[in-house]
Amino acid sequence: MLDHFGREIDYLRISITDRCNLRCIYCMPEDGVPDIQHTDILSYEEIVRIVRQAAALGIRHLRVTGGEPMARRGCLDLVRMLHDIPGIETISMTTNGLLLDGRIREACEAGLNGVNLSLDALDPDLYRSITRGGDVEKALRVLDEAQKFGMSVKINVVPVRGVNEQELPKLAELAKNSPVSIRFIELMPLGCGASLQPIPTEEIRRKMEEAFGSMEEDRKRRGYGPAYYLRPEGFQGSIGFISPLSHEFCGRCNRVRLTADGLLKLCLNHTSGVDLRALIRNGADDLLLRETLRTAIERKPERHGFNEPVEDRESRHMNEIGG
């Protein structure tokens, strides 16, 4: 499925809840945000119906997100339902991991192919401070268990000036003896992140070279998103970079998002989209749903516009959009 700019859109991120068991400093205020009412979020059956029509149009890769997706009861039941949809090739989950502790076998059996584990520090006190209450030991247990079960494992790190600079080489070293991908994601000026200072990718890359020496491009495919990967000598895994601000990748963007309350969101930094919840609950049949998806995706914005004025700039927190 192509948009008007010739980009192939084959990746759908599905937020199933705005709720989370943590309050990471760049994602949510310490006292949280007003929860979406349960009746206002898509049911699992509604999500499956949307994905069936999206798959018919060429969506092949799914990522289940939140908030924290495991905070919604039955999350792995949804994974199982999505796994059975013809045309869907991979399903992964972005998670802090704490609620997956002891449930990786169940997740694999449901059809989950990979986890993107949010992990911004290894120091227990700093992790607890960044997440406002998290237990890093649980996250590390999930990391180990996912590898034992053969899952694709990526570790998402958001570098924040004055917060976790000293942790970055320690986190990268997790990829030395394990085939995991450590991805440094530039902090985006959305919600709580707008009040914090990002660290540019080039600065982080210099830190990695100082710590581990020169790095070669890792050409092995490690997912369906915008990261590029490098590998220091002697590393089993890779160090990846996602750089929406310093190295804009809009020209090869392949994704759209479905928010928990049913908005087909065409770009992270734009509010424009289509209310699929209203469409479904007003009685649309599958043909209308599919054509609505097609028409919307065709008009996906060309660029995110983080570095310039945008008329419909997104102002919600990441947990409300889908992390």
Side-chain angles (χ1 to χ4, degrees):
M1 177 168 44
L2 302 179
D3 68 6
H4 278 321
F5 301 100
R7 297 172 295 196
E8 183 176 0
I9 310 301
D10 60 1
Y11 183 5
L12 176 64
R13 295 179 65 105
I14 306 167
S15 173
I16 66 171
T17 180
D18 62 327
R19 301 182 185 190
C20 188
N21 54 322
L22 300 179
R23 296 287 183 272
C24 295
I25 59 173
Y26 50 79
C27 185
M28 294 177 71
E30 187 169 5
D31 56 356
V33 297
D35 292 330
I36 302 172
Q37 295 300 307
H38 184 73
T39 54
D40 291 334
I41 65 173
L42 292 174
S43 69
Y44 287 159
E45 291 74 20
E46 288 170 329
I47 291 171
V48 168
R49 186 177 170 201
I50 290 168
V51 173
R52 283 189 185 281
Q53 299 312 311
L57 292 171
I59 291 294
R60 295 290 174 259
H61 309 289
L62 305 178
R63 176 167 298 283
V64 179
T65 74
E68 167 53 47
M70 289 297 294
R72 182 170 175 182
R73 184 178 300 176
C75 174
L76 297 182
D77 295 327
L78 173 65
V79 170
R80 186 173 287 105
M81 289 187 279
L82 296 174
H83 181 261
D84 291 338
I85 296 175
I88 296 302
E89 297 175 6
T90 66
I91 306 173
S92 54
M93 180 187 294
T94 295
T95 175
N96 59 51
L98 305 192
L99 300 178
L100 268 174
D101 189 19
R103 301 189 68 184
I104 289 295
R105 178 190 293 274
E106 181 185 353
C108 287
E109 291 173 350
L112 192 68
N113 304 110
V115 291
N116 283 24
L117 188 66
S118 298
L119 185 63
D120 297 309
L122 293 175
D123 178 84
D125 292 333
L126 181 55
Y127 179 87
R128 190 176 302 111
S129 174
I130 292 172
T131 60
R132 298 190 177 107
D135 180 355
V136 74
E137 293 303 322
K138 284 188 177 182
L140 292 175
R141 280 201 299 270
V142 169
L143 170 62
D144 290 341
E145 192 175 1
Q147 292 180 78
K148 288 176 184 176
F149 277 88
M151 276 191 172
S152 167
V153 179
K154 299 170 186 162
I155 297 172
N156 288 348
V157 183
V158 179
V160 182
R161 183 82 66 195
V163 176
N164 62 346
E165 292 108 315
Q166 301 306 313
E167 290 286 292
L168 304 184
K170 300 174 190 175
L171 286 159
E173 199 157 4
L174 291 173
K176 185 170 185 178
N177 298 313
S178 299
V180 300
S181 300
I182 314 295
R183 294 123 55 83
F184 294 109
I185 304 173
E186 280 184 339
L187 177 69
M188 289 172 278
L190 286 170
C192 297
S195 65
L196 301 171
Q197 187 176 356
I199 305 176
T201 287
E202 292 307 316
E203 182 177 334
I204 298 167
R205 181 168 175 172
R206 287 195 299 272
K207 285 180 180 290
M208 296 301 107
E209 290 172 339
E210 290 168 3
F212 307 115
S214 61
M215 300 185 289
E216 295 185 352
E217 182 180 358
D218 184 352
R219 296 183 179 275
K220 181 179 178 181
R221 180 146 202 174
R222 297 190 174 273
Y224 301 91
Y228 70 92
Y229 295 94
L230 302 174
R231 178 180 288 175
E233 185 176 352
F235 269 53
Q236 288 188 38
S238 294
I239 299 174
F241 302 92
I242 299 177
S243 316
L245 302 182
S246 62
H247 296 81
E248 183 182 298
F249 45 76
C250 297
R252 51 190 174 88
C253 184
N254 65 337
R255 69 187 59 187
V256 290
R257 296 168 179 261
L258 181 63
T259 65
D261 57 358
L263 178 71
L264 180 69
K265 188 172 175 57
L266 305 172
C267 177
L268 184 62
N269 195 38
H270 292 260
T271 61
S272 60
V274 176
D275 186 350
L276 297 181
R277 183 189 67 192
L279 188 73
I280 289 173
R281 295 183 184 179
N282 286 329
D285 62 16
D286 285 348
L287 179 60
L288 178 57
L289 177 57
R290 186 185 306 183
E291 288 309 306
T292 300
L293 285 165
R294 184 198 306 277
T295 301
I297 290 171
E298 283 179 349
R299 57 183 177 82
K300 176 178 166 65
E302 183 177 13
R303 300 177 57 247
H304 57 56
F306 277 125
N307 297 314
E308 59 212 46
V310 171
E311 276 189 21
D312 64 336
R313 182 180 294 274
E314 183 58 80
S315 60
R316 290 178 294 174
H317 297 286
M318 282 299 292
N319 69 296
E320 298 171 282
I321 300 168

